[in-house]
């Protein structure tokens, strides 16, 4: 069964550093997403991406964040100048039609120290 | 604004007993509805979805959910649970006009032997 692959599974970074979280969506999917889950809290929408541009973003997704699909297969989330409160599990997801349900990756646990 | 409420944070139930996990939502527009399951150290997996048509939807592993528009609910049920159903269950809505999901806080189902 096709999978969404996320790397790394766990990343520790120092406050103020930049991190790039990587995702390989399912190959024929067209819609891509990033969500995050702070420990003990709900899963929150960050951004959706379609046709090589951001289609929607939340209030959380400020100038500190950016997304890119650099080579047609990877989908990355960059966090500039990380803060302690960015510590969370970050989930990438993709879908074929946008409304039929996502396939999520296993997540990257980001720890900012 | 839309919101999703899962009133039960934890539900313990004995093996082979029935279970109902409650989900209510609030939205001023029509929504699509989803249940996702998260096993320990894994990503979110789509369990079932309501997009249109029959209000009763079923998964391949015996779960079902019924969309009740008047009560704005989408409760998840299973007539007989197994130990392997132990996981966290998330209800989510996707409002029309957007591809993002709004998640509830999750219900941890613990099946006891």
């Amino acid at each position: 069964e096709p999978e969404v692959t996320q790397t790394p599974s766990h990343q520790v970074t120092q406050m103020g550093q930049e991190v790039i979280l990587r995702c390989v969506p399912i190959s024929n999917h067209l819609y891509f997403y990033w969500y995050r889950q702070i420990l003990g809290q709900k899963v929150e929408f960050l951004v959706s991406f379609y046709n090589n541009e951001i289609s929607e973003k939340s209030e959380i997704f400020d100038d500190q964040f950016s997304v890119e699909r650099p080579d047609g297969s990877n989908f990355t989330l960059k966090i500039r100048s990380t803060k302690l409160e960015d510590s969370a599990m970050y989930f990438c997801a993709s879908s074929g039609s946008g409304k039929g349900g996502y396939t999520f990756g296993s997540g990257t646990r980001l720890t900012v120290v | 604004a839309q919101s999703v409420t899962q009133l039960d944070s934890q539900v313990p139930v004995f093996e082979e007993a029935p279970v109902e996990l409650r989900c209510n939502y609030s939205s001023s527009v029509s929504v699509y509805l989803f249940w996702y399951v998260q096993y320990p150290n894994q990503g979110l997996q789509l369990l079932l979805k309501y997009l249109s048509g029959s209000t009763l939807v079923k998964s391949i592993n015996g779960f079902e959910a019924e969309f009740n528009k008047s009560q704005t609910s989408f409760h998840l049920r299973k007539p007989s649970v197994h130990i392997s159903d132990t996981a966290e269950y998330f209800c989510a809505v996707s409002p029309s006009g957007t591809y993002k999901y709004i998640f509830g806080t999750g219900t941890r189902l613990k099946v006891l032997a």
Side-chain angles (χ1 to χ4, degrees), chain A residues 35 56 98-102 104, chain B residues 36 49 51 94-95 98-99 101:
Chain A
Y35 284 75
E56 194 171 2
K99 277 301 184 187
Y102 302 165
F104 280 89
Chain B
Y36 279 83
K49 61 189 177 188
L51 304 181
S94 181
T98 175
Y99 293 126
Y101 287 7

Side-chain angles (χ1 to χ4, degrees), chain A residues 54-102:
Chain A
I54 291 173
S55 49
E56 194 171 2
K57 60 182 181 180
S58 71
E59 316 79 58
I60 303 168
F61 195 88
D62 58 20
D63 293 343
Q64 180 195 9
F65 294 90
S66 62
V67 289
E68 196 176 34
R69 190 156 160 79
D71 56 11
S73 62
N74 290 283
F75 180 52
T76 62
L77 174 69
K78 182 188 292 185
I79 310 175
R80 287 181 281 273
S81 189
T82 49
K83 298 177 274 204
L84 294 176
E85 54 265 37
D86 294 327
S87 294
M89 182 74 93
Y90 287 81
F91 292 106
C92 173
S94 69
S95 68
S97 65
K99 277 301 184 187
Y102 302 165

Side-chain angles (χ1 to χ4, degrees), chain B residues 19-92:
Chain B
V19 70
E20 179 179 80
L21 306 184
R22 295 178 293 169
C23 173
N24 288 86
Y25 68 92
S26 170
S27 178
S28 57
V29 299
S30 60
V31 296
Y32 301 108
L33 297 146
F34 305 86
W35 276 98
Y36 279 83
V37 58
Q38 185 179 33
Y39 299 102
N41 300 315
Q42 294 188 28
L44 296 148
Q45 300 175 29
L46 179 64
L47 188 59
L48 43 74
K49 61 189 177 188
Y50 171 77
L51 304 181
S52 64
S54 171
T55 57
L56 182 66
V57 291
K58 300 185 179 186
S59 73
I60 58 172
N61 57 353
F63 283 95
E64 64 180 35
E66 186 156 22
F67 169 50
N68 188 318
K69 188 174 182 180
S70 62
Q71 296 187 3
T72 59
S73 67
F74 191 54
H75 301 331
L76 180 69
R77 294 186 291 263
K78 189 170 185 179
S80 175
V81 294
H82 302 291
I83 295 286
S84 58
D85 293 324
T86 295
E88 186 139 23
Y89 292 79
F90 291 92
C91 181

